[in-house]
């Protein structure tokens, strides 16, 4: 797959993140709004990854660098989401 095909695949995978973000915003609880912002961030990261793949073109070293950076940032966002949910559960358990 060439750089354009990979970039298109990354761009298309950002759509579910934006759709989930929109669905969470409709619920409008503080946690949902926080998670919606994080999902929007994931979508933007994926779009940035698509741009990075376009930049990388056919250079395998650049493709690897973009893929590693994207994996690091998206997994960081996943950890941030888990922490947000855990904090909210702890807050609710303690009755605050």
């Amino acid at each position: 797959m060439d750089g354009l095909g990979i970039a298109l695949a990354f761009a298309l995978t950002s759509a579910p993140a934006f759709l989930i973000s929109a669905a969470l915003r409709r619920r409008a609880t503080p946690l949902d709004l926080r998670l919606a912002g994080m999902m929007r961030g994931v979508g933007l990261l994926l779009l940035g990854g698509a741009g990075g793949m376009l930049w990388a073109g056919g250079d395998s070293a650049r493709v690897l660098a973009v893929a590693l950076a994207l994996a690091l940032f998206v997994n960081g966002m996943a950890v941030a989401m888990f922490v947000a949910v855990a904090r909210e559960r702890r807050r609710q358990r303690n009755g605050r």
Side-chain angles (χ1 to χ4, degrees), residues 1-4 9-10 12 17-18 34 42 56 59-60 64 67 69 73 81 85 89 94:
M1 187 178 272
D2 64 344
L4 182 60
F10 273 89
L12 289 174
F18 289 120
R34 192 173 315 126
V42 168
D59 186 349
S60 61
L64 180 61
F73 287 120
M81 287 181 213
V85 170
R89 284 185 178 175
N94 292 334

Side-chain angles (χ1 to χ4, degrees), residues 17-34:
F18 289 120
L19 292 173
I20 291 168
S21 174
L24 287 169
R25 271 195 310 260
R26 274 187 245 123
R27 293 179 58 187
T29 67
L31 176 62
D32 289 331
L33 292 175
R34 192 173 315 126

Side-chain angles (χ1 to χ4, degrees), residues 13-22 36 38-44 46:
T13 60
S14 70
F18 289 120
L19 292 173
I20 291 168
S21 174
M38 291 180 191
M39 286 304 296
R40 193 171 35 250
V42 168
L44 291 172
L46 289 170

